[in-house]
Amino acid sequence: MTHPSPAARPRPPQGGRGAATPGAPGAAPGGPAHRRWWVPYLFLAPGLLMVALFSLWPFVNTVILSFTDSQILRGGSFVGLDNYTRALADPDFWVATGNSVLYLAVVVPCLVLLPLALAVLVRREVPGIGFFRSAFYTPVIASAVVVGLIWQWVLRSDGLVNTVFQRIGVVSGPVPFLTDSTMLLVSAMIVTVWKGLGYYMVFYLAALGNVPASLHEAASLDGAGPVRRFFSITVPQVKPMMLLVGTLSAISALRVFTEIYILGGESGGPGGGSRTLPFLIRQVGLGFSGETGYASALSILLFLLTLGFSLLGRRLSKGDEE
């Protein structure tokens, strides 16, 4: 009788009776069953600490300061809602709020519609389209200060636009782009739209990439032209992205500061007539006599205004999904 060689003998499986499975009573002390519940939070701790120090605490401190009469070089005492009642009775606050809301009402539709049209155009595969895609995106990576200085040179009284207009006889004198409060606000809006076109164009390019080509093919077979396909297929398919772009651009429009500061100077235009809420907050809170308590109250009001428009955008987005 022959006996099987040692190499031919069947070996017990690795997961036999004697093997300890993870989580079993006989598992090693370092196994998943004995892992401490707080271990994952060790990995989250650095990020949570940064958020608490640089986001949460400044917000809480601003809320606390808004109920005091503190200044930069001295502490303050609790004054309740006096800063808020003062803001509601301050003409400068209402002028700045009106400018911010007007800025939003003009800029947001432009940044919702123009980048969509631009994205539709640059998606076409034509010779040299890569150059135009890069050119449209260049203002996005440029510094806001550099962009403001370029447009200041273009729009000033002896700048490029006024020089060309006067040479061709369109105007007899320089157009007060930067010396009239209304024209200054419009000029800042143009700069904001020009800088934001390429940024939101990328959003729409991502959304257009998810539109099924079969829909356009079927519509073409039914005789629909490019314009009809744009409004009947493209716009409904990218509507959620349009709502997102509208919300983001609204938040940015309410926070605009650099364009007004570069084009209008430290006063915010002639007589401060072009100041927005962030600009007014800076003016009130800076300097040796800066009123940090009142500036904090204005910041909270700006936060509530921004939150209101954000919730409105979310409401419209949810209604569209339903």
Side-chain angles (χ1 to χ4, degrees):
M1 185 174 65
T2 60
H3 297 278
S5 62
R9 293 175 183 174
R11 297 181 179 179
Q14 296 294 329
R17 295 182 181 178
T21 59
H34 296 273
R35 184 176 296 164
R36 301 295 185 266
W37 62 269
W38 42 264
V39 170
Y41 293 97
L42 289 179
F43 297 95
L44 296 175
L48 293 175
L49 182 61
M50 296 289 286
V51 171
L53 287 178
F54 298 103
S55 295
L56 184 59
W57 167 243
F59 175 77
V60 173
N61 189 49
T62 301
V63 174
I64 295 173
L65 288 175
S66 68
F67 296 104
T68 67
D69 59 353
S70 63
Q71 296 183 359
I72 287 183
L73 297 180
R74 71 170 182 84
S77 56
F78 181 77
V79 295
L81 298 175
D82 288 355
N83 287 326
Y84 294 95
T85 56
R86 174 187 170 185
L88 297 178
D90 188 357
D92 291 338
F93 168 76
W94 290 110
V95 170
T97 302
N99 288 337
S100 294
V101 175
L102 178 62
Y103 210 99
L104 179 147
V106 175
V107 167
V108 171
C110 294
L111 288 179
V112 169
L113 300 177
L114 294 181
L116 175 58
L118 196 61
V120 173
L121 292 176
V122 300
R123 287 189 78 236
R124 299 179 179 274
E125 296 298 333
V126 296
I129 194 62
F131 168 78
F132 289 101
R133 290 171 181 169
S134 302
F136 290 140
Y137 194 76
T138 299
V140 179
I141 61 177
S143 169
V145 175
V146 173
V147 170
L149 291 174
I150 292 173
W151 278 92
Q152 186 186 50
W153 172 76
V154 170
L155 298 175
R156 65 187 183 185
S157 298
D158 58 344
L160 178 64
V161 174
N162 275 312
T163 300
V164 172
F165 281 179
Q166 292 180 69
R167 291 285 178 87
I168 64 179
V170 175
V171 295
S172 57
V175 180
F177 290 111
L178 306 180
T179 55
D180 179 78
S181 58
T182 303
M183 293 295 295
L184 175 61
L185 201 62
V186 173
S187 301
M189 294 174 184
I190 293 174
V191 175
T192 301
V193 172
W194 180 77
K195 185 171 173 55
L197 279 176
Y199 180 72
Y200 294 113
M201 177 190 71
V202 175
F203 282 62
Y204 284 122
L205 285 174
L208 291 173
N210 295 325
V211 178
S214 58
L215 296 178
H216 289 279
E217 296 173 358
S220 298
L221 294 176
D222 290 339
V227 177
R228 180 63 182 274
R229 295 201 307 270
F230 176 78
F231 287 103
S232 299
I233 298 176
T234 303
V235 172
Q237 290 292 320
V238 302
K239 197 171 183 180
M241 184 60 71
M242 295 175 69
L243 293 172
L244 175 62
V245 170
T247 302
L248 295 177
S249 58
I251 294 173
S252 300
L254 290 175
R255 296 170 52 192
V256 68
F257 169 80
T258 305
E259 291 88 335
I260 303 294
Y261 183 81
I262 297 297
L263 297 179
E266 294 187 1
S267 62
S274 301
R275 289 179 297 184
T276 56
L277 270 176
F279 201 102
L280 179 63
I281 292 169
R282 176 189 177 275
Q283 279 190 330
V284 170
L286 286 185
F288 290 108
S289 59
E291 301 177 89
T292 54
Y294 184 48
S296 298
L298 294 177
S299 301
I300 297 301
L301 292 175
L302 175 60
F303 167 75
L304 294 176
L305 183 63
T306 306
L307 181 63
F309 280 103
S310 301
L311 293 177
L312 177 62
R314 181 178 177 81
R315 176 79 178 187
L316 293 175
S317 177
K318 186 177 296 186
D320 180 70
E321 293 176 357
E322 294 176 354

